[in-house]
Amino acid sequence: MHITVIGTGYVGLVTAACLSDFGHTVVGVDKDHNKINALKNGRIPIYEPGLDDIVQRNVQAGRLRFTTDITEEFDRTQVVFIAVGTPPQEDGSADLQHVEAVAREIAPLINDYKVIVNKSTVPVGTGARVRQVIAAHQTQKVPFDVVSNPEFLREGSAVGDFMRPDRVVIGTESDRAREIMKEVYRALYLIETPFVFTNIETAELIKYASNAFLATKITFINEIANICEAVGADVQTIAKAMGMDGRISPKFLHAGPGYGGSCFPKDTKALVRIARDHGETASIVEAVVQANQRQKERMVQKIHNILGGLQGKTIALLGLAFKPNTDDMREAPSLTIIRGLLEQGATVRAFDPAAMDEARKILGDTITYCRDEYETAQGADALIIVTEWNQFRRLDLARMKTLLNQPVLVDLRNIYTPQEAKAAGYRYTGVGQGKSSETHGN
Amino acid sequence: MDVAVIGCGYVGLVTAAGLADLGHSVIGIDKDPRKINKLKAGIIPIYEPGLAELVQRNLVTGRLTFTESIRPAVERSVVLFITVGTPSNYDGTADLTQVEAVAREIAAAMTSYKVIINKSTVPVGTARRVKELIKKHLPAPVAFDVVSNPEFLREGSAVHDFIYPDRIVIGAESVKAVALMKELYSGFLKKKVPFIVTNPETSELIKYAANAFLANKIAFINELANLCEAIGGDIETVALGMGLDHRIGPHFLKAGPGYGGSCFPKDTWALIQIGASYGSPLTITKAVVEANENHKRRMALKIKDALGSPAGKTVAVLGLAFKAQTDDLRESPAIPIIEELIASGVSVRGHDPAALTEAKKAFADTITYYEDIYEAARGADAIVIATEWEIYRQVDLPRLKSVMKDPVIIDLRNIYRPDELSTAGFRYTRIGQKDIR
Ligand SMILES: NC(=O)c1ccc[n+]([C@@H]2O[C@H](COP(=O)([O-])OP(=O)(O)OC[C@H]3O[C@@H](n4cnc5c(N)ncnc54)[C@H](O)[C@@H]3O)[C@@H](O)[C@H]2O)c1
Ligand SMILES: NC(=O)c1ccc[n+]([C@@H]2O[C@H](COP(=O)([O-])OP(=O)(O)OC[C@H]3O[C@@H](n4cnc5c(N)ncnc54)[C@H](O)[C@@H]3O)[C@@H](O)[C@H]2O)c1
């Protein structure tokens, strides 16, 4: 099949690359010349493990091309994916200007029946809206269908997630479009991936519902972590015992500094907004949004407490990205933490294996950027683990101790046990860690 | 081992019978003499599938006995379970009166080492409190340990849940107590059931956290169901799409009239109070509780809406228990629904295959009671499905329609498919889907 993917950010690029790997002929379009130039030269503008191999392989095979010109190959294309950004606006609602711009651009180019697929995360009703916009801007009356096909990939494991998804959701009222979508995802059909076929509104809601639920799960365990600290209980044991309940599932029950990233903050706020716009309330998600903000701020207080104040202190932060294996800094807890530390008169040194450039764009010269974990620790009053990159899991704690001004470890991801930190001579605090516990069996 | 189980309600009875079945010698104790007399005769005072067989089997072998008096039972047993009720106080905190009363009685009868196990759902710190209480009331100093061992069984599948637990949680501070607990549960250890051994605080909190999270799942999907009704989405498909995400899981994503029962409402309130008393607010659980209350109220409005002008109408409510496979009516969503309907001048008929006796206590003569579904429906203006009993699924829809005055179904459990209802000629309202009128 001939497929056009418009927008080559995280989602668009992964979609384009993986669909070409499924054997389709794919054109990736972006209005950003720098991005397209980089891609044409075989450089991947984002950090995403495994993506470069797939892109390279399919470019070489002639199945994948990149362009800034949306008209390129458009006549032959059967399926057009819209994968542009939908950032949040002030009021929490999703900004649809890019999606609508694309709809207007492609409308006059539709020369033959095409399926227009919304892959961006868009509010309920956007499918219908895109249909209207296209119909209004068509120059020839050619039939087309709009499909909602939300994307569930996660940054850091995007390729695996796309190639082996938990499910594929396809929202459309048209049988013709449904058959074409099955053809697009034939490779996944063959490996028995569950497909959920439904109407556009339901498909659009599934994406928000899933993300909002996962955000709720994280925030729920964070609130439990806070009470653990108050009563002397251990949140990791609680999470483990909860997760053994077949109805709960052990995933996403790690207490930490609060969720961030390009999806959860945006999608939770958008869902709250969608509900309000329809005269309903998403009151649980509203509580989640607020509790998550408090959780991020609470981390500053935690550092303050263990040091007995922040004025004049030097703080070493390990990890800036919102999670490991990505360079994405959007809504990262590190930003709230750094802002709080600076406000209270501390100096911040930081290191991240992938997100230094992105961090610089946001934080400028308000903090010191270091070459590695050990340089970061140099002369600091506390070492803070903010993102659980694998390389931070096996720090040489003894060496670290000689570099630090005082041996204080604040482990916001619970990657060390209080025992090992104490054994290494540190004053230690994690998130929701009360007293020790052991697990037997299995 | 010689075991005493104090309090023979849902949890106590299943625990006593289950432990006897594992080969222990168990005495079940309850202060309610009628209960004990029935149990001695092999009659089970509650509705719980499979429990009668389990009790009878072990009564016959003599491994299970029942008595009213605590003292001899304490004297002969090493392991003492506390399985009495911990209902809610007005402010949502758990009422520990029964637990404390039992602790004092145990203390008065103790002359040798015992492990006292809290199986009731109790706030953080209760194990320590029970320990101090016993110490204070001991006639002479004796060594003992207090252990937290929360119960996760569900009414309706309690026997199965006892035999096949997802995990066993033990909150203890003494090595000796942990060793005794493992001996007691050695049958589960052999079956490779995971054991979580931790401190009492963590153990106590696990129970609340698990229940609050499950309540959260239900309340979350119910809010989305409301949204689906507004946008023309379909909640069943939303739940399917969400549940396929292995980090979410498909369970407890069934939209309905709101959760009820003897555990979720009580345990969510109690958790909120625990958080408040430690200055650590549980805002999500609070939102869940409020959303669930609103949702139950909304159900009554939904029914009134479907009725048009409710006054003078007759409605048959099918299902009164808080869920299927139980006779438990505690916090059942049917209660506020029926109260609101009555207040609006509706005459309400109630049907339930197991909970009519309990219902009569709750509703007295404000409603009429039926043992037959079709009789309940005869001449009614609408049917409300409030509990997902299997017999309602298997109802003869054309026959049902023929006896009703107006063929209207308000299916609060989505047990019927839209197409089967419309084919049978019903107008219907479901949860999380646009109505067909
Ligand atoms: N990042 C994720 O993990 C993730 C996961 C699932 C869903 N999503 C959703 O997918 C969508 C895209 O997210 P992303 O992270 O890939 O965004 P992104 O910002 O990384 O990429 C968007 C790209 O679209 C391009 N673009 C914008 N307008 C254009 C136009 N008119 N023509 C051509 N190109 C244009 C931009 O230049 C940019 O390269 C969003 O709706 C997001 O919510 C993201
Ligand atoms: N019912 C469930 O599904 C369930 C599941 C898990 C945990 N729990 C928890 O287990 C505990 C018990 O719940 P239940 O549903 O079995 O309660 P219940 O009300 O059915 O039973 C409690 C029993 O204890 C007896 N009792 C009270 N005081 C006594 C005393 N001083 N001496 C002897 N007997 C006494 C009562 O007569 C009653 O029979 C509660 O804390 C509850 O939260 C219940």
Side-chain angles (χ1 to χ4, degrees):
Chain A
M1 286 183 113
H2 286 264
I3 297 173
T4 297
V5 177
I6 304 174
T8 57
Y10 272 98
V11 170
L13 187 53
V14 172
T15 302
C18 293
L19 289 178
S20 65
D21 213 48
F22 290 168
H24 303 301
T25 305
V26 182
V27 180
V29 184
D30 207 291
K31 64 174 182 184
D32 182 338
H33 287 269
N34 292 333
K35 214 171 245 186
I36 293 298
N37 278 337
L39 286 167
K40 279 185 168 164
N41 291 319
R43 273 185 289 113
I44 305 295
I46 51 172
Y47 176 90
E48 187 59 50
L51 187 56
D52 43 358
D53 288 348
I54 298 206
V55 170
Q56 217 174 29
R57 180 161 76 233
N58 289 287
V59 167
Q60 270 165 13
R63 280 192 301 264
L64 178 60
R65 289 189 297 118
F66 298 100
T67 175
T68 52
D69 179 8
I70 207 165
T71 62
E72 203 170 311
E73 295 277 323
F74 200 88
D75 282 356
R76 292 169 65 186
T77 214
Q78 292 161 276
V79 182
V80 181
F81 278 88
I82 304 181
V84 295
T86 50
Q89 310 186 91
E90 278 300 330
D91 63 357
S93 65
D95 181 352
L96 293 178
Q97 59 161 325
H98 300 299
V99 172
E100 290 182 10
V102 170
R104 277 192 301 273
E105 263 187 274
I106 58 175
L109 303 175
I110 298 179
N111 59 320
D112 199 359
Y113 176 78
K114 294 192 196 308
V115 177
I116 317 300
V117 185
N118 249 332
K119 210 165 211 357
S120 299
T121 304
V122 290
V124 177
T126 304
R129 181 79 180 275
V130 165
R131 153 165 286 289
Q132 276 170 13
V133 172
I134 294 179
H137 289 81
Q138 265 184 314
T139 44
Q140 344 166 25
K141 283 289 146 216
V142 182
F144 67 94
D145 278 306
V146 175
V147 168
S148 163
N149 170 221
E151 180 50 56
F152 298 98
L153 64 77
R154 294 159 299 176
E155 293 175 18
S157 57
V159 172
D161 290 344
F162 195 96
M163 296 291 207
R164 286 176 299 281
D166 282 340
R167 77 307 212 180
V168 174
V169 174
I170 292 175
T172 178
E173 311 279 358
S174 145
D175 293 339
R176 188 172 177 188
R178 187 178 312 124
E179 290 312 311
I180 290 177
M181 291 308 288
K182 281 189 193 166
E183 199 50 43
V184 168
Y185 286 117
R186 213 178 105 78
L188 298 180
Y189 233 82
L190 294 177
I191 57 169
E192 289 179 6
T193 305
F195 276 65
V196 177
F197 293 104
T198 184
N199 63 14
I200 296 188
E201 287 73 17
T202 304
E204 288 167 339
L205 189 57
I206 286 173
K207 173 66 191 176
Y208 285 109
S210 301
N211 270 358
F213 187 79
L214 292 170
T216 304
K217 208 166 171 184
I218 298 173
T219 312
F220 179 90
I221 202 68
N222 283 340
E223 285 200 332
I224 296 292
N226 298 342
I227 188 169
C228 280
E229 291 173 6
V231 305
D234 177 43
V235 75
Q236 283 167 290
T237 308
I238 292 179
K240 182 166 192 163
M242 282 176 70
M244 285 171 180
D245 186 321
R247 302 163 295 176
I248 295 178
S249 140
K251 304 281 164 58
F252 267 60
L253 285 175
H254 296 288
Y259 62 78
S262 64
C263 288
F264 288 168
K266 162 171 93 61
D267 294 349
T268 44
K269 286 178 198 150
L271 181 56
V272 167
R273 185 67 214 197
I274 292 168
R276 276 206 205 130
D277 287 347
H278 289 89
E280 294 292 343
T281 48
S283 61
I284 299 171
V285 183
E286 274 176 47
V288 166
V289 170
Q290 287 168 15
N292 190 59
Q293 186 55 33
R294 279 195 303 273
Q295 185 71 7
K296 292 181 182 178
E297 285 157 11
R298 191 184 160 99
M299 299 302 109
V300 180
Q301 192 58 38
K302 209 179 225 327
I303 303 167
H304 176 109
N305 289 350
I306 198 165
L307 290 177
L310 290 166
Q311 186 63 45
K313 299 279 164 53
T314 300
I315 310 294
L317 288 195
L318 297 187
L320 294 167
F322 83 93
K323 66 172 186 183
N325 300 321
T326 179
D327 62 351
D328 200 335
M329 285 293 296
R330 288 179 274 187
E331 305 273 343
S334 66
L335 295 173
T336 309
I337 295 169
I338 289 172
R339 214 171 295 127
L341 293 172
L342 295 176
E343 265 166 26
Q344 296 194 41
T347 307
V348 176
R349 303 165 63 76
F351 168 69
D352 188 284
M356 299 295 263
D357 291 343
E358 290 299 315
R360 241 187 225 104
K361 288 186 201 159
I362 303 168
L363 295 164
D365 57 6
T366 57
I367 66 168
T368 308
Y369 302 91
C370 302
R371 252 180 298 122
D372 63 21
E373 321 44 352
Y374 300 97
E375 188 190 308
T376 313
Q378 199 93 51
D381 297 293
L383 186 66
I384 321 293
I385 294 171
V386 184
T387 314
E388 69 279 30
W389 283 91
N390 268 338
Q391 69 192 76
F392 301 153
R393 290 176 194 269
R394 321 186 113 251
L395 293 174
D396 182 344
L397 288 180
R399 179 174 163 210
M400 215 39 125
K401 195 174 161 203
T402 65
L403 298 168
L404 285 163
N405 199 15
Q406 49 180 9
V408 173
L409 179 57
V410 180
D411 178 6
L412 301 183
R413 299 290 184 171
N414 292 347
I415 60 180
Y416 292 94
T417 64
Q419 293 84 332
E420 64 186 320
K422 254 166 232 155
Y426 283 81
R427 273 203 293 141
Y428 173 91
T429 181
V431 176
Q433 287 182 343
K435 296 158 206 169
S436 63
S437 55
E438 44 161 342
T439 308
H440 300 258
N442 271 18
Chain B
M1 294 173 92
D2 290 329
V3 179
V5 177
I6 305 162
C8 289
Y10 276 97
V11 170
L13 194 50
V14 173
T15 303
L19 286 173
D21 215 49
L22 285 176
H24 298 298
S25 166
V26 183
I27 304 189
I29 300 135
D30 205 290
K31 65 172 182 187
D32 180 346
R34 275 173 315 164
K35 210 173 246 188
I36 290 301
N37 284 336
K38 278 190 187 166
L39 286 169
K40 278 180 175 165
I43 301 165
I44 307 301
I46 52 173
Y47 175 91
E48 186 60 50
L51 185 57
E53 292 87 320
L54 191 70
V55 169
Q56 282 152 9
R57 181 160 79 227
N58 289 286
L59 275 176
V60 172
T61 62
R63 278 197 301 265
L64 179 61
T65 52
F66 293 100
T67 171
E68 278 167 62
S69 43
I70 223 172
R71 180 174 284 273
V74 169
E75 279 168 3
R76 75 173 265 284
S77 307
V78 187
V79 174
L80 313 172
F81 277 93
I82 304 182
T83 51
V84 296
T86 50
S88 296
N89 287 316
Y90 264 104
D91 62 357
T93 55
D95 176 357
L96 293 178
T97 319
Q98 297 177 31
V99 172
E100 289 173 0
V102 172
R104 280 191 296 269
E105 283 184 72
I106 291 174
M110 247 168 70
T111 52
S112 58
Y113 177 81
K114 311 281 173 203
V115 184
I116 294 110
I117 304 166
N118 253 332
K119 211 171 213 351
S120 298
T121 304
V122 290
V124 178
T126 303
R128 280 180 214 288
R129 203 156 141 197
V130 165
K131 188 169 178 180
E132 274 154 34
L133 202 63
I134 292 178
K135 206 178 261 169
K136 213 172 101 189
H137 288 86
L138 276 178
V142 194
F144 68 96
D145 284 302
V146 177
V147 170
S148 159
N149 170 222
E151 179 53 57
F152 299 98
L153 64 77
R154 294 159 294 180
E155 292 176 16
S157 58
V159 173
H160 173 274
D161 292 344
F162 183 90
I163 301 172
Y164 303 102
D166 284 331
R167 75 306 212 185
I168 287 175
V169 175
I170 294 168
E173 283 180 312
S174 111
V175 180
K176 187 172 178 187
V178 172
L180 276 169
M181 291 303 291
K182 286 189 177 166
E183 196 186 327
L184 180 72
Y185 288 135
S186 58
F188 295 121
L189 267 178
K190 279 193 209 105
K191 282 196 288 181
K192 296 250 185 277
V193 174
F195 274 56
I196 292 196
V197 179
T198 183
N199 64 15
E201 286 75 11
T202 303
S203 169
E204 287 162 340
L205 202 47
I206 283 171
K207 174 66 191 173
Y208 286 110
N211 269 358
F213 188 77
L214 291 170
N216 181 0
K217 249 182 139 169
I218 298 172
F220 186 95
I221 204 73
N222 282 340
E223 280 205 326
L224 287 182
N226 299 341
L227 183 54
C228 278
E229 290 170 14
I231 66 170
D234 171 28
I235 194 61
E236 302 281 322
T237 311
V238 171
L240 174 68
M242 285 174 69
L244 284 168
D245 187 322
H246 65 278
R247 301 164 296 174
I248 299 175
H251 308 279
F252 269 61
L253 288 178
K254 183 90 185 123
Y259 62 77
S262 65
C263 288
F264 288 167
K266 163 171 94 57
D267 294 349
T268 45
W269 295 329
L271 181 58
I272 291 167
Q273 290 304 326
I274 294 167
S277 68
Y278 285 96
S280 188
L282 294 158
T283 59
I284 298 174
T285 305
K286 216 165 163 203
V288 164
V289 166
E290 282 162 17
N292 193 57
E293 285 308 310
N294 289 335
H295 194 73
K296 287 186 188 176
R297 273 199 292 277
R298 190 183 169 110
M299 294 303 105
L301 298 181
K302 207 173 162 66
I303 297 164
K304 290 202 297 191
D305 202 36
L307 291 173
S309 51
K313 297 260 166 81
T314 299
V315 171
V317 177
L318 303 188
L320 302 168
F322 83 91
K323 65 172 185 182
Q325 307 294 342
T326 179
D327 63 350
D328 199 337
L329 222 71
R330 290 180 272 188
E331 301 292 329
S332 171
I335 297 173
I337 289 171
I338 288 174
E339 284 171 355
E340 177 61 31
L341 290 179
I342 293 171
S344 309
V346 173
S347 54
V348 176
R349 300 168 172 185
H351 177 277
D352 192 287
L356 281 188
T357 313
E358 290 299 314
K360 283 174 186 158
K361 294 182 199 158
F363 299 113
D365 57 3
T366 60
I367 69 170
T368 48
Y369 302 89
Y370 289 80
E371 308 222 338
D372 181 88
I373 299 172
Y374 304 97
E375 283 313 308
R378 188 173 300 283
D381 295 284
I383 281 177
V384 173
I385 305 289
T387 312
E388 68 287 17
W389 284 99
E390 189 57 34
I391 51 162
Y392 301 145
R393 264 185 247 275
Q394 286 163 6
V395 96
D396 179 348
L397 287 172
R399 182 174 162 209
L400 199 62
K401 185 183 173 223
S402 71
V403 300
M404 291 179 70
K405 188 166 159 207
D406 207 6
V408 173
I409 287 192
I410 298 116
D411 180 2
L412 302 181
R413 299 285 186 170
N414 288 356
I415 62 171
Y416 302 116
R417 288 194 323 273
D419 57 325
E420 58 183 335
L421 289 174
S422 41
T423 307
F426 281 94
R427 282 172 299 156
Y428 63 86
T429 297
R430 300 174 89 235
I431 300 285
Q433 222 185 27
K434 281 211 165 137
D435 302 349
I436 300 298
R437 301 248 172 110

